[in-house]
């Protein structure tokens, strides 16, 4: 579904639900992480892109203080008072919007409630940040409706906080930043220490294939939080043993990891290796892209996936199968899991001329092993989040 079709579908559903036009509609895309896995909360570097799928959030002022919020795919409604957003136990999709409202409350005056509906086309659990797309579209639309001035980095922090406190996932800033700063044809290069963001032209010689396994292994969010805790424990170790200041794994080089891993527990040492190696791979990757060395960049993507398998253990058999299949397909330059892991999608960098055939072969390899198809789509780096109110 194109973004314009998504907007039309959202408007139609909004009218059906509330019998009037929305005052504001915002769109926010999902993201694909291309290199730099679990580096964001370790103050490291990531190359990502907004994708051309996302979520539209449409909203109009309501008469009183009560808000109505409808999930456009389920056509289910949740009600709450505008001044008192609190996490809910059923219809938990509402928590992403409620969390964002809670983050905006101190910045504005919220006397009057709202009627809202959201609708998106990012498959849930695909590792392409459907939740960040919902949070960012909610934040943009509500900020506009309540005339709140808020810069994009603060918006990203509000989305992240909603995820932490209303959804229980201690994620970094990668997903909302990619959604807000994405631009058509551009990769987003983010330094999560300084929050400096650069855009790198993607070119047309290669394309991205995203292979969604539909696998979602149990306790995904718990496993994410555990990995983060392991990284924090490893940081504390390196703070003790290294002569220079360490505030995050970003400050530890691969050579230092090798020299001092023995003092860490076995598991924490392996966990720390992944973001440390990834950070160095992003630095190399940026250089290789600048030289036009796409094959060299692709090799770093394969190395990233191996590091996930060997050190971070955030891959799974379905993702491994697709990456192994990608290695054998002519024209595939690199492939790795994208996002948190434990299921979801792989991303592959493929020579443009080979993309259609590579997509077919990936689907075939998956179906041969699992009997069910996976979805492989060609993705272009897409536009970032924006207000799209018609008229
Ligand atoms: C998820 C999180 C991000 C990031 C990635 C892994 O997408 O939401 O903050 O940590 O996993 O790089």
């Amino acid at each position: 579904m194109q973004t314009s079709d998504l907007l039309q579908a959202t408007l139609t559903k909004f009218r059906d639900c509330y019998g009037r036009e929305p005052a504001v509609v915002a769109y926010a895309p999902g993201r694909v992480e291309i290199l730099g896995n679990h580096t964001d909360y370790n103050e490291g570097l990531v190359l990502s892109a907004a994708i051309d799928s996302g979520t539209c959030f449409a909203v109009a002022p309501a008469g009183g203080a009560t808000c109505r919020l409808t999930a456009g795919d389920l056509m289910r409604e949740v009600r709450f008072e505008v001044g008192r957003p609190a996490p809910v136990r059923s219809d938990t999709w509402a928590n992403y919007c409620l969390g964002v409202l809670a983050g905006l409350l101190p910045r504005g005056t919220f006397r009057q409630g709202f009627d809202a509906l959201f609708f998106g086309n990012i498959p849930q659990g695909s590792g392409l940040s459907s939740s960040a797309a919902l949070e960012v579209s909610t934040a943009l639309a509500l900020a506009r409706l309540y005339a709140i001035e808020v810069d994009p980095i603060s918006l990203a922090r509000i989305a992240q906080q909603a995820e932490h406190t209303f959804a229980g996932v201690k994620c970094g800033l990668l997903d909302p930043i990619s959604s807000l700063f994405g631009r058509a044809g551009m990769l987003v290069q983010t330094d999560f220490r300084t929050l400096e963001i650069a855009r790198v032209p993607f070119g047309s010689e290669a394309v991205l294939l995203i292979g969604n396994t539909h696998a979602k292994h149990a306790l995904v969010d718990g496993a994410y939080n555990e990995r983060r805790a392991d990284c924090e424990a490893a940081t504390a170790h390196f703070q003790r043993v290294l002569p220079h200041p360490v505030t995050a794994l970003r400050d530890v080089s691969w050579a230092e990891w090798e020299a001092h891993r023995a003092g860490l527990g076995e598991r924490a040492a392996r966990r720390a290796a992944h973001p440390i190696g990834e950070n160095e791979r992003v630095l190399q990757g940026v250089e290789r892209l600048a030289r036009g060395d796409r094959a060299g960049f692709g090799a770093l993507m394969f190395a990233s996936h191996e590091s996930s398998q060997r050190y971070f253990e955030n891959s799974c058999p379905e993702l491994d199968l697709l990456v192994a299949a990608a290695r054998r397909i002519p024209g595939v330059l690199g492939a790795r899991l994208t996002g948190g892991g434990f299921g979801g999608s792989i991303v592959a960098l493929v020579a443009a001329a080979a993309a259609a055939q590579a997509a077919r072969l990936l689907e075939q390899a998956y179906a041969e092993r699992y009997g069910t198809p996976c979805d492989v789509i060609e993705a272009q780096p897409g536009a970032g989040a924006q207000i799209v109110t018609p008229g």
Side-chain angles (χ1 to χ4, degrees):
M1 192 189 275
Q2 302 269 314
T3 309
S4 53
D5 295 339
L6 184 65
L7 173 61
Q8 288 314 318
T10 308
L11 291 172
T12 304
K13 284 172 183 282
F14 189 95
R15 289 180 200 119
D16 289 350
C17 247
Y18 301 118
R20 64 194 199 282
E21 294 296 317
V24 181
V25 187
Y27 164 79
R31 63 98 191 90
V32 58
E33 174 205 280
I34 297 164
L35 200 57
N37 189 236
H38 287 260
T39 46
D40 61 346
Y41 57 82
N42 289 301
E43 299 189 14
L45 307 165
V46 187
L47 274 173
S48 62
I51 56 174
D52 38 22
S53 305
T55 297
C56 282
F57 186 97
V59 63
T66 303
C67 300
R68 294 184 288 177
L69 172 68
T70 301
D73 51 348
L74 309 169
M75 287 313 255
R76 280 183 67 83
E77 184 194 283
V78 163
R79 292 185 184 209
F80 50 91
E81 297 304 296
V82 72
R84 279 185 282 123
V88 290
R89 291 246 175 97
S90 58
D91 293 308
T92 48
W93 46 265
N95 283 329
Y96 301 106
C97 307
L98 287 161
V100 166
L101 173 61
L104 285 171
L105 276 187
R107 294 171 176 264
T109 310
F110 287 78
R111 275 190 213 97
Q112 206 179 359
F114 57 80
D115 289 334
L117 177 141
F118 65 86
F119 186 55
N121 57 0
I122 308 170
Q124 274 175 34
S126 59
L128 301 172
S129 288
S130 58
S131 62
L134 176 54
E135 288 152 0
V136 170
S137 60
T138 304
L140 274 181
L142 292 184
R144 176 64 64 91
L145 185 72
Y146 289 92
I148 299 169
E149 285 291 330
V150 46
D151 63 276
I153 295 288
S154 303
L155 270 188
R157 289 194 196 284
I158 288 171
Q160 180 194 30
Q161 203 51 41
E163 198 88 36
H164 284 203
T165 52
F166 278 64
V169 185
K170 300 275 180 217
C171 61
L173 278 167
L174 170 67
D175 307 344
I177 287 222
S178 308
S179 180
L180 281 155
F181 288 89
R183 188 173 288 176
M186 298 282 184
L187 303 185
V188 181
Q189 180 190 332
T190 310
D191 180 328
F192 284 92
R193 168 156 288 166
T194 60
L195 293 183
E196 271 172 298
I197 295 162
R199 294 191 178 94
V200 182
F202 182 62
S204 53
E205 295 86 350
V207 299
L208 296 172
L209 291 183
I210 296 176
N212 180 6
T213 63
H214 299 283
K216 187 171 163 63
H217 291 276
L219 302 173
V220 169
D221 300 347
Y224 183 95
N225 293 347
E226 263 172 45
R227 296 299 183 280
R228 187 166 181 161
D230 283 343
C231 290
E232 282 161 10
T235 303
H237 164 76
F238 288 110
Q239 270 164 353
R240 284 192 297 273
V241 299
L242 289 179
H244 60 79
V246 172
T247 53
L249 290 180
R250 159 73 173 272
D251 301 310
V252 182
S253 70
W254 185 258
E256 288 168 335
W257 175 82
E258 282 186 318
H260 296 281
R261 62 169 298 186
L264 259 177
E266 222 290 294
R267 194 186 73 188
R270 268 189 288 125
R271 299 293 185 255
H274 184 57
I276 293 171
E278 282 292 275
N279 204 52
E280 298 196 356
R281 278 186 283 279
V282 177
L283 283 170
Q284 288 169 23
V286 169
E287 275 174 24
R288 290 180 188 184
L289 276 186
R291 289 202 303 269
D293 178 9
R294 285 185 184 71
F297 185 87
L300 295 169
M301 294 174 76
F302 282 130
S304 166
H305 191 77
E306 274 168 29
S307 171
S308 273
Q309 291 175 298
R310 178 164 176 199
Y311 295 121
F312 216 60
E313 294 175 286
N314 63 331
S315 187
C316 63
E318 294 88 343
L319 293 168
D320 292 344
L321 177 110
L322 279 183
V323 172
R327 277 186 184 277
R328 298 190 296 267
I329 298 173
V332 173
L333 304 169
R336 65 189 281 279
L337 67 81
T338 184
F342 313 103
S345 300
I346 66 139
V347 57
L349 184 71
V350 186
Q357 171 76 347
R360 260 197 309 280
L361 290 172
L362 281 174
E363 283 175 346
Q364 205 177 312
Y366 196 86
E368 270 167 21
R369 170 68 182 79
Y370 290 105
T372 52
C374 65
D375 291 328
V376 181
I377 54 159
E378 194 177 313
Q380 294 300 330
Q386 56 196 290
I387 298 290
V388 290
T389 315

